C-alpha cells in the first residue's frame, strides 16, 4: 500500500514539474510564435489557432524535449507542421483580394509605413523556399543552425537560400524604386 502512495505522489510531482516547464515555454515563446504564424498565414485568427495547436502538441510531447536550449527550434518546427496540416485538412476559397499587411504602429510618417508595406509585400512574393528562412532569421531571430534544424536542411543550403532571398528582395525593391522615380518624372 505504501509503494502505491509513493508512486501516486511521484506522478503528481512529475505532472507539476511538466506543468511548470510548459507554462514557462508558453510565457517565453507565445508572442514570437504568434508573430511567425501571422507571417505564414496573414490572418490573426488562424495565427492564434496555429499557436494554440502548437502548444497543445508541445504539451503532449514535452517529455521528448530533452534540451531546453532547443525549445525554440522545436516549437517552430511544430508550428510549421501545424501550418502544413492546415492545407491538408481544408480547401480554401481563394479570391483576388490582396492579403492584409502588418502595420507598425510605431512608424512616425506615412513614408515609413509605405516603405514597410512595400517590403512586406515583396517578402510575401518570394518563393517559400526563400521566404521561410528569411522570416525565421529576420522575424524570429534564428541562427543559421537553428533554421537548418527547423527546416531539416543543411546549414550551407540555408545560408545560400538566405543570400538568394536577400538578393531577390534587393532586386525587387530596386525595381520598385526605379518605377517610382520614373513615374515622378
Amino acid at each position: 500500500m505504501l509503494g502505491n502512495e509513493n508512486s501516486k505522489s511521484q506522478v503528481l510531482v512529475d505532472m507539476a514539474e511538466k506543468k511548470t516547464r510548459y507554462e514557462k515555454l508558453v510565457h517565453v515563446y507565445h508572442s514570437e510564435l504568434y508573430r511567425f504564424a501571422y507571417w505564414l498565414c496573414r490572418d490573426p485568427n488562424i495565427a492564434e489557432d496555429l499557436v494554440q495547436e502548437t502548444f497543445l502538441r508541445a504539451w503532449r510531447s514535452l517529455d521528448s524535449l530533452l534540451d531546453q536550449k532547443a525549445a525554440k527550434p522545436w516549437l517552430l518546427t511544430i508550428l510549421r507542421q501545424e501550418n502544413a496540416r492546415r492545407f491538408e485538412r481544408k480547401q480554401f476559397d481563394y479570391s483576388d483580394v490582396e492579403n492584409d499587411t502588418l502595420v507598425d504602429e510605431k512608424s512616425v510618417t506615412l513614408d515609413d509605413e509605405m516603405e514597410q508595406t512595400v517590403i512586406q509585400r515583396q517578402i510575401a512574393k518570394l518563393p517559400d523556399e526563400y521566404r521561410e528562412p528569411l522570416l525565421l532569421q529576420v522575424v524570429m531571430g534564428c541562427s543559421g543552425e537553428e533554421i537548418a534544424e527547423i527546416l531539416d536542411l543543411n546549414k550551407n543550403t540555408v545560408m545560400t537560400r538566405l543570400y538568394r532571398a536577400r538578393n531577390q528582395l534587393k532586386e525587387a525593391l530596386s525595381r520598385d524604386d526605379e518605377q517610382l522615380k520614373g513615374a515622378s518624372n
Side-chain angles (χ1 to χ4, degrees):
M1 202 65 151
L2 186 59
N4 195 16
E5 286 298 317
N6 285 340
S7 65
K8 283 183 183 178
S9 65
Q10 185 59 43
V11 167
L12 292 175
V13 168
D14 291 346
M15 287 301 292
E17 288 175 1
K18 182 178 179 179
K19 181 181 177 203
T20 302
R21 283 179 63 206
Y22 176 77
E23 287 172 349
K24 285 179 183 177
L25 281 177
V26 172
H27 178 73
V28 171
Y29 295 111
H30 183 274
S31 60
E32 286 184 81
L33 290 177
Y34 177 81
R35 187 172 51 237
F36 184 63
Y38 186 87
W39 268 96
L40 289 176
C41 67
R42 299 285 195 205
D43 182 302
N45 297 318
I46 294 172
E48 190 58 45
D49 288 346
L50 285 172
V51 172
Q52 286 179 6
E53 276 299 313
T54 298
F55 281 120
L56 177 63
R57 289 190 184 275
W59 169 259
R60 291 177 183 156
S61 305
L62 194 58
D63 295 333
S64 69
L65 178 63
L66 303 176
D67 181 7
Q68 293 301 316
K69 293 177 184 173
K72 185 176 179 179
W74 181 68
L75 289 169
L76 288 169
T77 300
I78 295 170
L79 190 137
R80 286 183 63 249
Q81 291 169 346
E82 281 306 308
N83 187 50
R85 279 188 194 94
R86 182 171 66 100
F87 292 102
E88 292 170 2
R89 289 189 294 247
K90 181 177 179 185
Q91 293 296 323
F92 293 95
D93 296 328
Y94 292 101
S95 66
D96 292 333
V97 178
E98 195 166 316
N99 290 333
D100 291 336
T101 59
L102 288 175
V103 177
D104 180 4
E105 295 172 359
K106 295 180 182 177
S107 291
V108 179
T109 66
L110 182 60
D111 287 343
D112 290 341
E113 279 188 42
M114 289 183 66
E115 182 178 306
Q116 198 168 36
T117 300
V118 168
I119 292 170
Q120 289 171 350
R121 286 184 180 157
Q122 289 301 336
I123 290 173
K125 289 180 183 178
L126 290 173
D128 286 344
E129 67 183 291
Y130 299 129
R131 182 178 60 240
E132 205 164 15
L134 184 65
L135 290 176
L136 285 168
Q137 184 181 54
V138 174
V139 176
M140 298 304 299
C142 294
S143 68
E145 291 88 11
E146 291 172 324
I147 296 168
E149 183 180 334
I150 292 165
L151 300 179
D152 195 27
L153 296 170
N154 179 304
K155 183 184 175 201
N156 292 335
T157 303
V158 168
M159 300 313 284
T160 300
R161 289 183 182 183
L162 286 170
Y163 175 79
R164 290 178 181 167
R166 284 190 206 95
N167 280 343
Q168 287 182 18
L169 187 58
K170 192 183 327 178
E171 288 174 20
L173 292 172
S174 295
R175 281 193 307 268
D176 285 353
D177 195 36
E178 288 174 15
Q179 289 175 351
L180 287 174
K181 286 179 184 176
S184 65
N185 288 335

